[in-house]
Amino acid sequence: MRSERTDVQVRPGVAADLDALTDLYNHYVRETPITFDTDVFTSGQRRPWLLSHPEDGPHRLMVATDTDSQVILGYATSSAFRAKPAYATSVEVTVYVAPDAGRRGIGTLLYEALFSALAGEDLHRAYAGIALPNEGSVRLHERFGFRHVGTYREVGRKFGRYWDVAWYEKELPH
Ligand SMILES: CC(C)(COP(=O)(O)OP(=O)(O)OC[C@H]1O[C@@H](n2cnc3c(N)ncnc32)[C@H](O)[C@@H]1OP(=O)(O)O)[C@@H](O)C(=O)NCCC(=O)NCCS
C-alpha cells in the first residue's frame, strides 16, 4: 500500500479546486445514498461551502491530489456540528475519495492530515454520520478511534427508500 500512496499529496483546499470538488461530490449525490443531498450542485452553489472552510481554525478542508497530474483524488472536511454556540467545541467530519481511487489509503491520508491540522484547535469531539451500509467508511472511522454511539433508524429517504445513519464519536486531544 505504501508505494501506491507516495504519489498522493494532501494540502488545504483553495478556491481553484471548486469545480473538481463539486464534480467529485456530485457523483455521490447522484449515484449513492452516502450523502443525503439529493440534487447536484453547480460550482456557484457549492462556493459558500468551500469558503466556510478556511486554511485555519476548526473548520478545515484538506484535498488529496495526484502528485504528477494534480488531479483531485479526494477531500476531507471538518465543519460546524450544530449552529448553537455551545456546540463550537464539536465538529462533524466527512471524507470523500474519487470513485476510481478507493482502497489506496487516500482516505487514511486525508484523515491523518485533517486531525493533525485540528490538533491545535479548541475542539473536544468529532462526529461522523454514516449512512448504512458503508463498510469502508465504518472501517476508516474505527481506525481513527471513532466509536459508534448510536444509530438513527430510517432517518432519511432517498431513491424511494429509508436509510439508517450510524453516528460515530471521536475524542480530540487538547
Ligand atoms: C469511505 C472512503 C472515504 C474510504 O477511503 P479509502 O481511501 O478507500 O480508504 P483507505 O484506503 O484509507 O482504507 C481505510 C480502511 O477502509 C477499508 N475500506 C475502504 N474501502 C472499503 C470497502 N469498499 N469495503 C470494505 N473496506 C473498505 C480499508 O480496507 C481500510 O481498512 P483497515 O483500516 O481495516 O485496513 C471511500 O471509500 C469513499 O470515499 N467512499 C465514498 C464516500 C464515503 O462513503 N464517505 C464517507 C461518508 S461517511
Side-chain angles (χ1 to χ4, degrees):
M1 181 185 277
R2 181 168 296 277
S3 62
E4 292 177 58
R5 289 167 57 159
T6 54
D7 55 2
V8 178
Q9 291 179 324
V10 178
R11 58 163 174 79
V14 295
D17 300 324
L18 183 59
D19 287 348
L21 291 171
T22 303
D23 285 349
L24 199 168
Y25 186 61
N26 279 341
H27 166 81
Y28 290 106
V29 174
R30 196 187 303 114
E31 306 290 340
T32 78
I34 286 168
T35 167
F36 282 2
D37 274 316
T38 55
D39 295 324
V40 294
F41 288 79
T42 64
S43 295
Q45 289 168 332
R46 197 70 171 150
R47 186 177 299 277
W49 164 84
L50 187 135
L51 296 177
S52 67
H53 298 91
E55 285 194 36
D56 56 7
H59 301 154
R60 306 268 186 139
L61 165 63
M62 304 304 295
V63 168
T65 59
D66 180 290
T67 305
D68 294 332
S69 67
Q70 293 299 308
V71 165
I72 288 182
L73 301 173
Y75 70 89
T77 57
S78 60
S79 307
F81 176 65
R82 295 191 71 169
K84 292 176 183 173
Y87 284 118
T89 52
S90 293
V91 285
E92 181 174 348
V93 295
T94 60
V95 54
Y96 288 88
V97 172
D100 55 355
R103 304 201 85 160
R104 287 173 51 193
I106 295 171
T108 300
L109 280 179
L110 282 163
Y111 263 3
E112 283 172 353
L114 180 66
F115 289 113
S116 151
L118 295 181
E121 300 297 335
D122 182 19
L123 290 172
H124 192 58
R125 292 287 186 268
Y127 293 92
I130 304 177
L132 299 177
N134 190 338
E135 188 186 339
S137 184
V138 167
R139 287 179 69 157
L140 178 64
H141 286 90
E142 286 179 341
R143 166 190 277 202
F144 277 85
F146 283 81
R147 283 180 300 200
H148 180 235
V149 287
T151 297
Y152 290 175
R153 296 179 56 245
E154 301 194 351
V155 64
R157 186 170 63 195
K158 187 171 179 180
F159 305 140
R161 58 155 283 192
Y162 295 102
W163 302 91
D164 295 350
V165 173
W167 282 93
Y168 282 75
E169 179 183 79
K170 175 180 167 66
E171 298 176 14
L172 297 176
H174 60 97

